[in-house]
Amino acid sequence: MPPTPDVLPVLPVLPAGHDFATYARTHWSRLVVTARLLTDDPGAAEELARRTLVRMCARWRRVPRNDVDFHVRRCLVRIHLRGLRGRRAARRRAVVVLRVWEGLADAEIAQLLGCSVGAVRARARHGLKEAGTDPGQLREVFTRAARETVPSEVPLADLRAGGRIRRRRRLAVASAACAALLTPVALLAADRLGGGGAQDGTSGARPGDGGRKATSPIRVVAPGERVTAGTGVRMWLTADGGHWSLPVNLRGDDSGHPLDEPGVSLRMDSVKDGFLLSGLFHGLNGEPGRVEVRTGDGGSTTANVLVLAGSPGWGIWYASTPLPGKNVEALFSVGGDDRIVTVYDASGRVAARSDREWWRI
């Protein structure tokens, strides 16, 4: 059952070409209420709603006009979950809020969170058990909390200003990638990536090699043991996850990942020879069979893998060679259901794939 009309009125159907300002004014109050239910903190609710709309403003032109609410909800939940230490409990609460308050079906929630329908049902079951009540009573609790939440006026000027800043940062990354095309180093990196192989003797796949790829070199490291992955780049693992030391971080957030849930993150960092792709994989049963990374030129390469001694189900992956600017620019244009990173288990089955919109959120 959806929220009662006197709490959150039914929103008007907006025209297909509506602009960001119209959407923000129309949905601000409802977004703040949902954020309040997710965080259980009135003080944090408006800040979460504000950060969500800033990100949406930055990429508004790319958001499908017939599916805006899905992208806004997904952005809201991801910002809320990112970096939380108690992420498992927060995911359960998010599922309960989306199901009980927003009235979403389990399949919609699964698509929004990037998990299976079975995982959604399990989290809903545990979430209701932790709440100690049934959906009907919980809806009443949510309704009372919504009535007590009085959102301020939508900070439209602040949202637009923040969106412009994020948009400029993204354009700066793309510009840096294009500038790499003009340097001899980028051309050398392209040659190495296309057929030169990695410095450590491992080989990557070529577009015309019939799909044959070398087995990913898996290195077992001790907690805190530093591994050099490129010029100025060092990586290491501890019990709480992966760590990076690098010259300039342009993209990526690898904090707060639940290591027992299947997934793989993707980050891009500026290095001497171009852009280094790396990330954290987690939730596997045992060591990965290999990690494949798209190279932006229609091919793929097998990544290096670091796993912590005694914890083979998660670790760091990193590409053996940097990508030149033109390849990174091609990755920015990825659309549809394309993914950049795929993790295979020991049996050769897909264990995890990176988010198809990794750079847009």
Side-chain angles (χ1 to χ4, degrees):
M1 180 183 298
T4 54
D6 61 322
V7 177
L8 290 177
V10 177
L11 298 175
V13 178
L14 299 176
H18 67 274
D19 60 11
F20 172 77
T22 301
Y23 186 90
R25 292 191 187 99
T26 306
H27 290 73
W28 170 252
S29 295
R30 187 181 190 113
L31 197 60
V32 170
V33 169
T34 302
R36 161 72 174 84
L37 299 180
L38 287 173
T39 61
D40 198 24
D41 182 353
E46 287 203 7
E47 175 60 18
L48 176 57
R50 187 196 67 80
R51 291 176 60 193
T52 299
L53 288 180
V54 164
R55 289 173 183 256
M56 296 306 298
C57 180
R59 60 189 185 92
W60 189 251
R61 295 178 182 177
R62 294 180 175 271
V63 179
R65 291 298 183 264
N66 60 349
D67 204 17
V68 176
D69 288 341
F70 168 81
H71 289 271
V72 172
R73 285 193 184 104
R74 185 173 63 175
C75 187
L76 177 76
V77 173
R78 287 186 177 183
I79 293 175
H80 170 57
L81 295 178
R82 185 172 295 162
L84 290 179
R85 291 188 177 276
R87 191 171 180 179
R88 184 176 298 180
R91 279 178 172 267
R92 292 173 179 171
R93 184 180 182 90
V95 167
V96 171
V97 169
L98 293 171
R99 186 196 245 191
V100 175
W101 181 251
E102 294 287 340
L104 300 184
D106 290 344
E108 294 176 290
I109 299 174
Q111 186 180 16
L112 189 148
L113 294 178
C115 62
S116 67
V117 174
V120 169
R121 291 170 180 166
R123 288 168 183 163
R125 184 171 60 253
H126 289 299
L128 291 173
K129 184 178 180 180
E130 290 172 355
T133 184
D134 58 51
Q137 294 175 329
L138 190 57
R139 189 177 298 112
E140 294 178 1
V141 173
F142 286 166
T143 299
R144 288 196 296 271
R147 286 173 175 159
E148 295 170 359
T149 302
V150 182
S152 63
E153 184 178 354
V154 55
L156 190 56
D158 179 52
L159 298 178
R160 283 172 164 166
R164 285 194 296 270
I165 292 173
R166 290 191 64 86
R167 192 158 49 244
R168 284 197 296 267
R169 288 176 180 172
R170 191 176 67 228
L171 291 175
V173 172
S175 297
C178 293
L181 290 171
L182 304 178
T183 65
V185 173
L187 296 177
L188 176 60
D191 179 68
R192 290 171 57 195
L193 186 61
Q199 293 179 345
D200 60 1
T202 61
S203 61
R206 301 181 183 179
D209 66 356
R212 297 186 300 276
K213 299 175 179 65
T215 302
S216 173
I218 299 175
R219 177 172 173 179
V220 180
V221 297
E225 178 182 348
R226 264 58 170 177
V227 175
T228 300
T231 305
V233 179
R234 305 186 78 188
M235 302 176 181
W236 64 98
L237 293 168
T238 61
D240 61 348
H243 305 271
W244 282 256
S245 176
L246 35 88
V248 180
N249 173 227
L250 292 182
R251 184 73 196 178
D253 183 354
D254 295 275
S255 61
H257 293 283
L259 300 181
D260 58 345
E261 295 185 8
V264 58
S265 66
L266 168 62
R267 58 186 295 149
M268 181 186 73
D269 298 290
S270 177
V271 295
K272 179 180 178 181
D273 295 338
F275 297 90
L276 180 69
L277 300 188
S278 63
L280 188 73
F281 67 89
H282 41 85
L284 277 64
N285 293 321
E287 291 184 354
R290 68 183 187 279
V291 178
E292 293 184 4
V293 187
R294 292 183 55 181
T295 56
D297 58 0
S300 63
T301 186
T302 302
N304 294 314
V305 173
L306 304 178
V307 294
L308 191 63
S311 305
W314 62 276
I316 288 177
W317 67 267
Y318 63 94
S320 58
T321 56
L323 297 185
K326 65 178 180 180
N327 296 55
V328 173
E329 189 176 5
L331 292 180
F332 275 130
S333 64
V334 166
D337 194 40
D338 291 333
R339 311 298 174 101
I340 296 175
V341 185
T342 304
V343 182
Y344 296 88
D345 61 20
S347 65
R349 293 178 297 185
V350 174
R353 303 178 73 191
S354 60
D355 193 319
R356 66 184 177 88
E357 295 189 357
W358 66 278
W359 68 275
R360 296 174 184 167
I361 295 180

